[in-house]
PDB file of all heavy atoms in Angstrom:
ATOM      1  N   THR A 206      41.712 -84.264  -0.576  1.00  0.00           N
ATOM      2  CA  THR A 206      43.055 -83.827  -0.178  1.00  0.00           C
ATOM      3  C   THR A 206      43.071 -82.307  -0.078  1.00  0.00           C
ATOM      4  O   THR A 206      42.374 -81.612  -0.818  1.00  0.00           O
ATOM      5  CB  THR A 206      44.116 -84.266  -1.208  1.00  0.00           C
ATOM      6  OG1 THR A 206      43.689 -83.815  -2.490  1.00  0.00           O
ATOM      7  CG2 THR A 206      44.269 -85.774  -1.215  1.00  0.00           C
ATOM      8  N   GLY A 207      43.849 -81.790   0.839  1.00  0.00           N
ATOM      9  CA  GLY A 207      44.001 -80.338   0.980  1.00  0.00           C
ATOM     10  C   GLY A 207      45.055 -79.825   0.025  1.00  0.00           C
ATOM     11  O   GLY A 207      45.682 -80.597  -0.706  1.00  0.00           O
ATOM     12  N   PHE A 208      45.247 -78.523   0.045  1.00  0.00           N
ATOM     13  CA  PHE A 208      46.291 -77.935  -0.827  1.00  0.00           C
ATOM     14  C   PHE A 208      47.597 -77.795  -0.055  1.00  0.00           C
ATOM     15  O   PHE A 208      47.628 -77.855   1.174  1.00  0.00           O
ATOM     16  CB  PHE A 208      45.836 -76.592  -1.374  1.00  0.00           C
ATOM     17  CG  PHE A 208      45.415 -75.620  -0.320  1.00  0.00           C
ATOM     18  CD1 PHE A 208      46.364 -74.977   0.470  1.00  0.00           C
ATOM     19  CD2 PHE A 208      44.059 -75.340  -0.105  1.00  0.00           C
ATOM     20  CE1 PHE A 208      45.976 -74.079   1.449  1.00  0.00           C
ATOM     21  CE2 PHE A 208      43.666 -74.450   0.886  1.00  0.00           C
ATOM     22  CZ  PHE A 208      44.623 -73.821   1.662  1.00  0.00           C
ATOM     23  N   THR A 209      48.663 -77.580  -0.801  1.00  0.00           N
ATOM     24  CA  THR A 209      49.979 -77.331  -0.218  1.00  0.00           C
ATOM     25  C   THR A 209      50.594 -76.093  -0.873  1.00  0.00           C
ATOM     26  O   THR A 209      50.598 -75.974  -2.100  1.00  0.00           O
ATOM     27  CB  THR A 209      50.904 -78.544  -0.446  1.00  0.00           C
ATOM     28  OG1 THR A 209      50.345 -79.667   0.242  1.00  0.00           O
ATOM     29  CG2 THR A 209      52.302 -78.276   0.083  1.00  0.00           C
ATOM     30  N   VAL A 210      51.066 -75.190  -0.050  1.00  0.00           N
ATOM     31  CA  VAL A 210      51.751 -73.997  -0.548  1.00  0.00           C
ATOM     32  C   VAL A 210      53.151 -73.949   0.045  1.00  0.00           C
ATOM     33  O   VAL A 210      53.309 -74.152   1.256  1.00  0.00           O
ATOM     34  CB  VAL A 210      51.036 -72.701  -0.086  1.00  0.00           C
ATOM     35  CG1 VAL A 210      51.534 -71.504  -0.878  1.00  0.00           C
ATOM     36  CG2 VAL A 210      49.542 -72.820  -0.190  1.00  0.00           C
ATOM     37  N   ALA A 211      54.137 -73.652  -0.781  1.00  0.00           N
ATOM     38  CA  ALA A 211      55.494 -73.445  -0.269  1.00  0.00           C
ATOM     39  C   ALA A 211      55.839 -71.966  -0.443  1.00  0.00           C
ATOM     40  O   ALA A 211      55.704 -71.422  -1.542  1.00  0.00           O
ATOM     41  CB  ALA A 211      56.491 -74.308  -1.021  1.00  0.00           C
ATOM     42  N   ILE A 212      56.227 -71.319   0.654  1.00  0.00           N
ATOM     43  CA  ILE A 212      56.600 -69.904   0.602  1.00  0.00           C
ATOM     44  C   ILE A 212      58.043 -69.790   1.071  1.00  0.00           C
ATOM     45  O   ILE A 212      58.354 -70.083   2.230  1.00  0.00           O
ATOM     46  CB  ILE A 212      55.652 -69.044   1.473  1.00  0.00           C
ATOM     47  CG1 ILE A 212      54.196 -69.236   0.990  1.00  0.00           C
ATOM     48  CG2 ILE A 212      56.067 -67.570   1.422  1.00  0.00           C
ATOM     49  CD1 ILE A 212      53.164 -68.454   1.780  1.00  0.00           C
ATOM     50  N   LEU A 213      58.906 -69.398   0.146  1.00  0.00           N
ATOM     51  CA  LEU A 213      60.340 -69.469   0.410  1.00  0.00           C
ATOM     52  C   LEU A 213      60.938 -68.082   0.536  1.00  0.00           C
ATOM     53  O   LEU A 213      60.538 -67.151  -0.162  1.00  0.00           O
ATOM     54  CB  LEU A 213      61.015 -70.228  -0.740  1.00  0.00           C
ATOM     55  CG  LEU A 213      60.335 -71.572  -1.058  1.00  0.00           C
ATOM     56  CD1 LEU A 213      60.826 -72.137  -2.368  1.00  0.00           C
ATOM     57  CD2 LEU A 213      60.540 -72.562   0.068  1.00  0.00           C
ATOM     58  N   GLY A 214      61.926 -67.977   1.417  1.00  0.00           N
ATOM     59  CA  GLY A 214      62.633 -66.709   1.585  1.00  0.00           C
ATOM     60  C   GLY A 214      63.741 -66.552   0.558  1.00  0.00           C
ATOM     61  O   GLY A 214      63.838 -67.332  -0.392  1.00  0.00           O
ATOM     62  N   ASP A 215      64.607 -65.560   0.759  1.00  0.00           N
ATOM     63  CA  ASP A 215      65.725 -65.306  -0.167  1.00  0.00           C
ATOM     64  C   ASP A 215      66.651 -66.514  -0.170  1.00  0.00           C
ATOM     65  O   ASP A 215      67.047 -67.020   0.887  1.00  0.00           O
ATOM     66  CB  ASP A 215      66.516 -64.074   0.283  1.00  0.00           C
ATOM     67  CG  ASP A 215      65.704 -62.788   0.135  1.00  0.00           C
ATOM     68  OD1 ASP A 215      64.516 -62.874  -0.211  1.00  0.00           O
ATOM     69  OD2 ASP A 215      66.284 -61.712   0.363  1.00  0.00           O
ATOM     70  N   THR A 216      67.051 -66.968  -1.350  1.00  0.00           N
ATOM     71  CA  THR A 216      67.907 -68.159  -1.433  1.00  0.00           C
ATOM     72  C   THR A 216      68.541 -68.330  -2.810  1.00  0.00           C
ATOM     73  O   THR A 216      68.009 -67.855  -3.806  1.00  0.00           O
ATOM     74  CB  THR A 216      67.084 -69.432  -1.097  1.00  0.00           C
ATOM     75  OG1 THR A 216      67.970 -70.547  -0.967  1.00  0.00           O
ATOM     76  CG2 THR A 216      66.040 -69.753  -2.166  1.00  0.00           C
ATOM     77  N   ARG A 217      69.678 -68.977  -2.824  1.00  0.00           N
ATOM     78  CA  ARG A 217      70.214 -69.590  -4.038  1.00  0.00           C
ATOM     79  C   ARG A 217      69.330 -70.789  -4.384  1.00  0.00           C
ATOM     80  O   ARG A 217      68.575 -71.259  -3.561  1.00  0.00           O
ATOM     81  CB  ARG A 217      71.588 -70.199  -3.758  1.00  0.00           C
ATOM     82  CG  ARG A 217      72.675 -69.244  -3.609  1.00  0.00           C
ATOM     83  CD  ARG A 217      74.026 -70.002  -3.631  1.00  0.00           C
ATOM     84  NE  ARG A 217      74.990 -69.034  -3.159  1.00  0.00           N
ATOM     85  CZ  ARG A 217      75.356 -68.901  -1.887  1.00  0.00           C
ATOM     86  NH1 ARG A 217      74.895 -69.727  -0.964  1.00  0.00           N
ATOM     87  NH2 ARG A 217      76.189 -67.955  -1.536  1.00  0.00           N
ATOM     88  N   PHE A 218      69.517 -71.345  -5.573  1.00  0.00           N
ATOM     89  CA  PHE A 218      68.898 -72.634  -5.883  1.00  0.00           C
ATOM     90  C   PHE A 218      69.412 -73.629  -4.845  1.00  0.00           C
ATOM     91  O   PHE A 218      70.610 -73.729  -4.622  1.00  0.00           O
ATOM     92  CB  PHE A 218      69.303 -73.115  -7.292  1.00  0.00           C
ATOM     93  CG  PHE A 218      68.733 -74.466  -7.615  1.00  0.00           C
ATOM     94  CD1 PHE A 218      67.509 -74.575  -8.272  1.00  0.00           C
ATOM     95  CD2 PHE A 218      69.394 -75.632  -7.237  1.00  0.00           C
ATOM     96  CE1 PHE A 218      66.967 -75.822  -8.548  1.00  0.00           C
ATOM     97  CE2 PHE A 218      68.845 -76.885  -7.502  1.00  0.00           C
ATOM     98  CZ  PHE A 218      67.644 -76.970  -8.165  1.00  0.00           C
ATOM     99  N   CYS A 219      68.512 -74.345  -4.173  1.00  0.00           N
ATOM    100  CA  CYS A 219      68.989 -75.317  -3.182  1.00  0.00           C
ATOM    101  C   CYS A 219      67.985 -76.461  -3.018  1.00  0.00           C
ATOM    102  O   CYS A 219      66.797 -76.318  -3.340  1.00  0.00           O
ATOM    103  CB  CYS A 219      69.272 -74.645  -1.834  1.00  0.00           C
ATOM    104  SG  CYS A 219      67.801 -74.083  -0.957  1.00  0.00           S
ATOM    105  N   GLU A 220      68.485 -77.582  -2.528  1.00  0.00           N
ATOM    106  CA  GLU A 220      67.661 -78.788  -2.362  1.00  0.00           C
ATOM    107  C   GLU A 220      66.538 -78.572  -1.348  1.00  0.00           C
ATOM    108  O   GLU A 220      65.440 -79.107  -1.500  1.00  0.00           O
ATOM    109  CB  GLU A 220      68.526 -79.969  -1.922  1.00  0.00           C
ATOM    110  CG  GLU A 220      69.173 -80.739  -3.069  1.00  0.00           C
ATOM    111  CD  GLU A 220      68.176 -81.141  -4.178  1.00  0.00           C
ATOM    112  OE1 GLU A 220      67.088 -81.669  -3.869  1.00  0.00           O
ATOM    113  OE2 GLU A 220      68.498 -80.897  -5.358  1.00  0.00           O
ATOM    114  N   ALA A 221      66.828 -77.764  -0.311  1.00  0.00           N
ATOM    115  CA  ALA A 221      65.800 -77.530   0.713  1.00  0.00           C
ATOM    116  C   ALA A 221      64.570 -76.868   0.076  1.00  0.00           C
ATOM    117  O   ALA A 221      63.428 -77.189   0.438  1.00  0.00           O
ATOM    118  CB  ALA A 221      66.357 -76.667   1.836  1.00  0.00           C
ATOM    119  N   ALA A 222      64.799 -75.981  -0.882  1.00  0.00           N
ATOM    120  CA  ALA A 222      63.679 -75.326  -1.569  1.00  0.00           C
ATOM    121  C   ALA A 222      62.876 -76.357  -2.356  1.00  0.00           C
ATOM    122  O   ALA A 222      61.636 -76.326  -2.371  1.00  0.00           O
ATOM    123  CB  ALA A 222      64.191 -74.226  -2.490  1.00  0.00           C
ATOM    124  N   VAL A 223      63.590 -77.292  -2.989  1.00  0.00           N
ATOM    125  CA  VAL A 223      62.907 -78.343  -3.761  1.00  0.00           C
ATOM    126  C   VAL A 223      62.081 -79.220  -2.818  1.00  0.00           C
ATOM    127  O   VAL A 223      60.915 -79.532  -3.093  1.00  0.00           O
ATOM    128  CB  VAL A 223      63.930 -79.206  -4.545  1.00  0.00           C
ATOM    129  CG1 VAL A 223      63.221 -80.357  -5.270  1.00  0.00           C
ATOM    130  CG2 VAL A 223      64.717 -78.350  -5.528  1.00  0.00           C
ATOM    131  N   GLU A 224      62.676 -79.584  -1.690  1.00  0.00           N
ATOM    132  CA  GLU A 224      61.966 -80.457  -0.740  1.00  0.00           C
ATOM    133  C   GLU A 224      60.708 -79.789  -0.176  1.00  0.00           C
ATOM    134  O   GLU A 224      59.657 -80.411  -0.084  1.00  0.00           O
ATOM    135  CB  GLU A 224      62.903 -80.867   0.407  1.00  0.00           C
ATOM    136  CG  GLU A 224      63.935 -81.903  -0.049  1.00  0.00           C
ATOM    137  CD  GLU A 224      65.139 -81.979   0.887  1.00  0.00           C
ATOM    138  OE1 GLU A 224      65.008 -81.582   2.067  1.00  0.00           O
ATOM    139  OE2 GLU A 224      66.220 -82.410   0.416  1.00  0.00           O
ATOM    140  N   LEU A 225      60.825 -78.510   0.185  1.00  0.00           N
ATOM    141  CA  LEU A 225      59.645 -77.803   0.709  1.00  0.00           C
ATOM    142  C   LEU A 225      58.558 -77.676  -0.362  1.00  0.00           C
ATOM    143  O   LEU A 225      57.368 -77.603  -0.060  1.00  0.00           O
ATOM    144  CB  LEU A 225      60.031 -76.401   1.204  1.00  0.00           C
ATOM    145  CG  LEU A 225      60.830 -76.323   2.509  1.00  0.00           C
ATOM    146  CD1 LEU A 225      61.354 -74.905   2.726  1.00  0.00           C
ATOM    147  CD2 LEU A 225      59.978 -76.759   3.707  1.00  0.00           C
ATOM    148  N   SER A 226      58.983 -77.669  -1.635  1.00  0.00           N
ATOM    149  CA  SER A 226      58.044 -77.457  -2.743  1.00  0.00           C
ATOM    150  C   SER A 226      57.495 -78.752  -3.326  1.00  0.00           C
ATOM    151  O   SER A 226      56.677 -78.722  -4.253  1.00  0.00           O
ATOM    152  CB  SER A 226      58.750 -76.687  -3.865  1.00  0.00           C
ATOM    153  OG  SER A 226      59.303 -75.493  -3.369  1.00  0.00           O
ATOM    154  N   LYS A 227      57.951 -79.896  -2.791  1.00  0.00           N
ATOM    155  CA  LYS A 227      57.597 -81.222  -3.329  1.00  0.00           C
ATOM    156  C   LYS A 227      56.097 -81.336  -3.616  1.00  0.00           C
ATOM    157  O   LYS A 227      55.273 -81.302  -2.715  1.00  0.00           O
ATOM    158  CB  LYS A 227      58.026 -82.298  -2.307  1.00  0.00           C
ATOM    159  CG  LYS A 227      58.294 -83.648  -2.915  1.00  0.00           C
ATOM    160  CD  LYS A 227      59.683 -83.693  -3.546  1.00  0.00           C
ATOM    161  CE  LYS A 227      59.784 -84.709  -4.675  1.00  0.00           C
ATOM    162  NZ  LYS A 227      60.927 -84.407  -5.567  1.00  0.00           N
ATOM    163  N   GLU A 228      55.754 -81.460  -4.885  1.00  0.00           N
ATOM    164  CA  GLU A 228      54.354 -81.633  -5.322  1.00  0.00           C
ATOM    165  C   GLU A 228      53.404 -80.595  -4.735  1.00  0.00           C
ATOM    166  O   GLU A 228      52.204 -80.852  -4.581  1.00  0.00           O
ATOM    167  CB  GLU A 228      53.873 -83.055  -4.998  1.00  0.00           C
ATOM    168  CG  GLU A 228      54.489 -84.052  -5.976  1.00  0.00           C
ATOM    169  CD  GLU A 228      54.335 -85.519  -5.580  1.00  0.00           C
ATOM    170  OE1 GLU A 228      53.392 -85.819  -4.820  1.00  0.00           O
ATOM    171  OE2 GLU A 228      55.134 -86.340  -6.047  1.00  0.00           O
ATOM    172  N   ALA A 229      53.938 -79.428  -4.441  1.00  0.00           N
ATOM    173  CA  ALA A 229      53.085 -78.355  -3.913  1.00  0.00           C
ATOM    174  C   ALA A 229      52.162 -77.829  -5.003  1.00  0.00           C
ATOM    175  O   ALA A 229      52.491 -77.891  -6.195  1.00  0.00           O
ATOM    176  CB  ALA A 229      53.947 -77.221  -3.372  1.00  0.00           C
ATOM    177  N   ASP A 230      51.036 -77.327  -4.585  1.00  0.00           N
ATOM    178  CA  ASP A 230      50.119 -76.725  -5.548  1.00  0.00           C
ATOM    179  C   ASP A 230      50.619 -75.351  -5.984  1.00  0.00           C
ATOM    180  O   ASP A 230      50.523 -74.980  -7.141  1.00  0.00           O
ATOM    181  CB  ASP A 230      48.722 -76.621  -4.923  1.00  0.00           C
ATOM    182  CG  ASP A 230      48.169 -77.994  -4.621  1.00  0.00           C
ATOM    183  OD1 ASP A 230      48.047 -78.787  -5.585  1.00  0.00           O
ATOM    184  OD2 ASP A 230      47.910 -78.315  -3.456  1.00  0.00           O
ATOM    185  N   VAL A 231      51.135 -74.607  -5.039  1.00  0.00           N
ATOM    186  CA  VAL A 231      51.676 -73.286  -5.348  1.00  0.00           C
ATOM    187  C   VAL A 231      53.033 -73.133  -4.673  1.00  0.00           C
ATOM    188  O   VAL A 231      53.168 -73.417  -3.477  1.00  0.00           O
ATOM    189  CB  VAL A 231      50.740 -72.155  -4.844  1.00  0.00           C
ATOM    190  CG1 VAL A 231      51.264 -70.791  -5.279  1.00  0.00           C
ATOM    191  CG2 VAL A 231      49.308 -72.372  -5.333  1.00  0.00           C
ATOM    192  N   VAL A 232      54.016 -72.707  -5.447  1.00  0.00           N
ATOM    193  CA  VAL A 232      55.339 -72.395  -4.896  1.00  0.00           C
ATOM    194  C   VAL A 232      55.569 -70.902  -5.092  1.00  0.00           C
ATOM    195  O   VAL A 232      55.343 -70.366  -6.183  1.00  0.00           O
ATOM    196  CB  VAL A 232      56.453 -73.177  -5.624  1.00  0.00           C
ATOM    197  CG1 VAL A 232      57.839 -72.745  -5.123  1.00  0.00           C
ATOM    198  CG2 VAL A 232      56.240 -74.672  -5.452  1.00  0.00           C
ATOM    199  N   ILE A 233      55.987 -70.215  -4.019  1.00  0.00           N
ATOM    200  CA  ILE A 233      56.353 -68.799  -4.129  1.00  0.00           C
ATOM    201  C   ILE A 233      57.846 -68.707  -3.880  1.00  0.00           C
ATOM    202  O   ILE A 233      58.323 -69.040  -2.785  1.00  0.00           O
ATOM    203  CB  ILE A 233      55.546 -67.939  -3.131  1.00  0.00           C
ATOM    204  CG1 ILE A 233      54.050 -68.098  -3.457  1.00  0.00           C
ATOM    205  CG2 ILE A 233      55.968 -66.473  -3.222  1.00  0.00           C
ATOM    206  CD1 ILE A 233      53.127 -67.483  -2.434  1.00  0.00           C
ATOM    207  N   HIS A 234      58.576 -68.320  -4.918  1.00  0.00           N
ATOM    208  CA  HIS A 234      60.041 -68.378  -4.893  1.00  0.00           C
ATOM    209  C   HIS A 234      60.590 -67.059  -5.381  1.00  0.00           C
ATOM    210  O   HIS A 234      60.066 -66.461  -6.311  1.00  0.00           O
ATOM    211  CB  HIS A 234      60.499 -69.527  -5.810  1.00  0.00           C
ATOM    212  CG  HIS A 234      61.934 -69.931  -5.632  1.00  0.00           C
ATOM    213  ND1 HIS A 234      62.996 -69.091  -5.908  1.00  0.00           N
ATOM    214  CD2 HIS A 234      62.473 -71.108  -5.198  1.00  0.00           C
ATOM    215  CE1 HIS A 234      64.140 -69.748  -5.655  1.00  0.00           C
ATOM    216  NE2 HIS A 234      63.845 -70.964  -5.223  1.00  0.00           N
ATOM    217  N   GLU A 235      61.673 -66.601  -4.762  1.00  0.00           N
ATOM    218  CA  GLU A 235      62.291 -65.353  -5.196  1.00  0.00           C
ATOM    219  C   GLU A 235      62.946 -65.500  -6.574  1.00  0.00           C
ATOM    220  O   GLU A 235      63.360 -66.600  -6.969  1.00  0.00           O
ATOM    221  CB  GLU A 235      63.336 -64.910  -4.166  1.00  0.00           C
ATOM    222  CG  GLU A 235      64.574 -65.786  -4.119  1.00  0.00           C
ATOM    223  CD  GLU A 235      65.848 -64.957  -4.277  1.00  0.00           C
ATOM    224  OE1 GLU A 235      66.004 -64.335  -5.367  1.00  0.00           O
ATOM    225  OE2 GLU A 235      66.661 -64.939  -3.330  1.00  0.00           O
ATOM    226  N   ALA A 236      63.066 -64.390  -7.285  1.00  0.00           N
ATOM    227  CA  ALA A 236      63.771 -64.365  -8.574  1.00  0.00           C
ATOM    228  C   ALA A 236      64.365 -62.964  -8.718  1.00  0.00           C
ATOM    229  O   ALA A 236      63.884 -62.136  -9.471  1.00  0.00           O
ATOM    230  CB  ALA A 236      62.826 -64.692  -9.714  1.00  0.00           C
ATOM    231  N   THR A 237      65.435 -62.729  -7.938  1.00  0.00           N
ATOM    232  CA  THR A 237      66.042 -61.391  -7.916  1.00  0.00           C
ATOM    233  C   THR A 237      66.751 -61.079  -9.231  1.00  0.00           C
ATOM    234  O   THR A 237      66.869 -59.916  -9.620  1.00  0.00           O
ATOM    235  CB  THR A 237      67.057 -61.298  -6.742  1.00  0.00           C
ATOM    236  OG1 THR A 237      66.457 -61.860  -5.565  1.00  0.00           O
ATOM    237  CG2 THR A 237      67.437 -59.861  -6.461  1.00  0.00           C
ATOM    238  N   PHE A 238      67.211 -62.127  -9.922  1.00  0.00           N
ATOM    239  CA  PHE A 238      68.028 -61.916 -11.127  1.00  0.00           C
ATOM    240  C   PHE A 238      67.417 -62.605 -12.348  1.00  0.00           C
ATOM    241  O   PHE A 238      66.525 -63.443 -12.216  1.00  0.00           O
ATOM    242  CB  PHE A 238      69.445 -62.440 -10.874  1.00  0.00           C
ATOM    243  CG  PHE A 238      70.207 -61.621  -9.851  1.00  0.00           C
ATOM    244  CD1 PHE A 238      70.136 -61.939  -8.501  1.00  0.00           C
ATOM    245  CD2 PHE A 238      70.960 -60.525 -10.248  1.00  0.00           C
ATOM    246  CE1 PHE A 238      70.822 -61.175  -7.554  1.00  0.00           C
ATOM    247  CE2 PHE A 238      71.648 -59.751  -9.297  1.00  0.00           C
ATOM    248  CZ  PHE A 238      71.578 -60.088  -7.960  1.00  0.00           C
TER     249      PHE A 238
END
Side-chain angles (χ1 to χ4, degrees):
Chain A
T206 53
F208 55 75
T209 297
V210 194
I212 302 179
L213 310 168
D215 292 6
T216 189
R217 286 192 193 93
F218 177 92
C219 70
E220 274 310 313
V223 176
E224 286 161 23
L225 287 169
S226 305
K227 205 80 206 160
E228 285 167 24
D230 296 301
V231 185
V232 175
I233 300 171
H234 194 296
E235 70 127 297
T237 314
F238 292 89

